[in-house]
Amino acid sequence: MSGAPWYFDCDTGIDDALTLGLLVAEGADVKGIGSVSGNLAAAGGARNTLDLLAVMGRTDVPVAVGAHDPIDGVFGGGAAFVHGENGIGGVELPRVGEPVAESAAEMLVRLAHEHEGALRVLAVGPLTNLALALELEPRLPSLVADVVIMGGAAAVPGNVTAVAEANIINDPIAAQAVFAAEWPVTMVGLDVTMEARFEEAHRQRLEAGGESAKALAAMLGVYFDFYTAILGRPSCALHDPLAAAIALGTLEPTLAPLVPIEVDTTDGPGRGQTIVDRRDRYIGYPARPGLRHRAVLEIPEGFGDALLASLLRLP
Amino acid sequence: MSGAPWYFDCDTGIDDALTLGLLVAEGADVKGIGSVSGNLAAAGGARNTLDLLAVMGRTDVPVAVGAHDPIDGVFGGGAAFVHGENGIGGVELPRVGEPVAESAAEMLVRLAHEHEGALRVLAVGPLTNLALALELEPRLPSLVADVVIMGGAAAVPGNVTAVAEANIINDPIAAQAVFAAEWPVTMVGLDVTMEARFEEAHRQRLEAGGESAKALAAMLGVYFDFYTAILGRPSCALHDPLAAAIALGTLEPTLAPLVPIEVDTTDGPGRGQTIVDRRDRYIGYPARPGLRHRAVLEIPEGFGDALLASLLRLP
């Protein structure tokens, strides 16, 4: 577990909700949360985040609404077919609290100054807010300790196109800005998040937990429905929670080499792909100077069990 | 072994030379061979092909010089750092015979008409000649039985850029034309060709073979030198011979699903990538109507031994 101060950027979303649960359960020192359009519009994501924090007893964490549109386009409307119309599988939570006045990008810049050199960034939605923060404060990379993202795919197919993962293709320009900035970036992509799963047994055990766990279990019905067609059995991928666990250090990857990463921002068939240079794979990725991108390529088994255990500790 | 008539398109090249050896050793009914610029200029590739055929006792096979330049550009000069200045590791062979007057594309079109519905195409260089033949004869896809190519990469990195393999990036426009044409295409890419290898012991056994085998073994020194840095030991990848073995049916892939494939022809960082849609991987690639591209993704072990045994039968 990391004692560092965190800025968490999300598009809450069912697996974002699980991630909030993990962060709270693990006692992560989350100084602020920004929302971004992705699974649903940024305003709706902030609403879900606030309401989930209230269920989890953490109304003290400030939530900022972030970018509605990607850097060079218009928000596409989200993924109701994955996360339900309200983003959390149709689950209705008591409406508690309001977002702060600053934008998510402003919050990130403020926190980076307040916790200079210490702030860690975990971003599990499109990277628009991070790119906007880089524009607001060009010194941001030197103020922030590191960035961990859920997004992209190296050796496995995308989930929106054959090569593009949703968070990246929702704002490729922003993603490229984040990879190009002079800070350490850890990419937790589909290579590993598709291997991190909740099975039906996990969902049932969650259902028998506390109020927070029950709410999360209720959301998973919709999410399981979507993933059953992709995975061939009632289950789901644990995209965002896995990124959080790797960020917090509660899960140690078994293969996570430093490799060059860039994003395809063309309008061709590769748009939104994370181009991860794995040409050293045949010799075990020897250390090379100057690399600051880490791609998580393999994880140990058992993350579903570990996540469940954490979530069952929630109020 | 296939009794079909074959057109073989190549850029000879050390692994092309091994492939010629395999085709001759297996008694493939090769009706004609076209050269294309790739490992070296098309004229030099034709020269090497003629001289190798003579060593192997097959001066009866006609060889046509193919395209010097890719469809939309200028030949980049080849890969002397991989294959040596003359393309065959500096080995000097007796100069025997001359290319035919027709171009490689004209030869392919003629053979397709002469062996309508039966001609099979094996292409192990850039796909320029095939694209030119498609322009010359738009009915070509209905005249040809199928096309097997060495090229591209699906789940593994490229060998020229992080995502692009040499044959494809040397002429992405041509490659896309070949994948877009209405014929069955089998892609034998780096996913499997990097796993098919000659070790030092293979090279030594080849050295003790007949005249052809000795000549091939002599070429492998240069090729091993290049691959030792990539593979971490004295050895080499057997790109083109593997494609030939799969085409002839002497090696049966263990995973080769029908999947959509297209080529990135943009000028972005993905240029020359074969975009292989593997999104069905989590459910074992169920059959889907309308697909005509097969991507070879896994092969059994032992191809190096099998290739060696074939080559040791050469005169």
Side-chain angles (χ1 to χ4, degrees), chain B residues 60-86:
Chain B
D60 58 305
V61 180
V63 175
V65 178
H68 180 74
D69 291 319
I71 297 291
D72 70 338
V74 173
F75 173 52
F81 59 101
V82 184
H83 297 271
E85 285 297 334
N86 73 346

Side-chain angles (χ1 to χ4, degrees), chain A residues 155-172:
Chain A
V156 301
N159 57 7
V160 173
T161 74
V163 292
E165 180 275 336
N167 285 339
I168 306 297
I169 202 170
N170 276 342
D171 197 342

Side-chain angles (χ1 to χ4, degrees), chain B residues 66-120:
Chain B
H68 180 74
D69 291 319
I71 297 291
D72 70 338
V74 173
F75 173 52
F81 59 101
V82 184
H83 297 271
E85 285 297 334
N86 73 346
I88 50 175
V91 172
E92 297 288 344
L93 299 175
R95 187 181 166 115
V96 180
E98 292 300 330
V100 295
E102 65 189 347
S103 73
E106 290 165 347
M107 175 186 269
L108 169 52
V109 170
R110 176 177 59 76
L111 291 173
H113 279 283
E114 289 176 15
H115 306 277
E116 185 170 339
L119 188 74
R120 303 189 62 195

Side-chain angles (χ1 to χ4, degrees), chain A residues 155-158 160-163 194-195 197 229-232 262 264 266 268-270 273 275 277-279 281-283, chain B residues 155-158 160-163 194-195 197 229-232 262 264 266 268-270 273 275-279 281-283:
Chain A
V156 301
V160 173
T161 74
V163 292
M194 287 297 284
E195 303 307 317
R197 299 190 192 168
I230 292 166
L231 300 176
E262 66 179 314
D264 188 329
T266 70
Q273 180 180 15
I275 294 182
D277 193 342
R278 295 177 296 124
R279 280 179 284 179
R281 70 191 289 267
Y282 305 102
I283 47 172
Chain B
V156 300
V160 173
T161 73
V163 291
M194 287 296 284
E195 302 308 317
R197 298 189 193 169
I230 293 166
L231 300 176
E262 67 180 314
D264 188 328
T266 69
Q273 180 180 15
I275 294 182
V276 178
D277 192 342
R278 295 176 297 124
R279 280 179 284 178
R281 70 191 289 267
Y282 305 103
I283 47 172

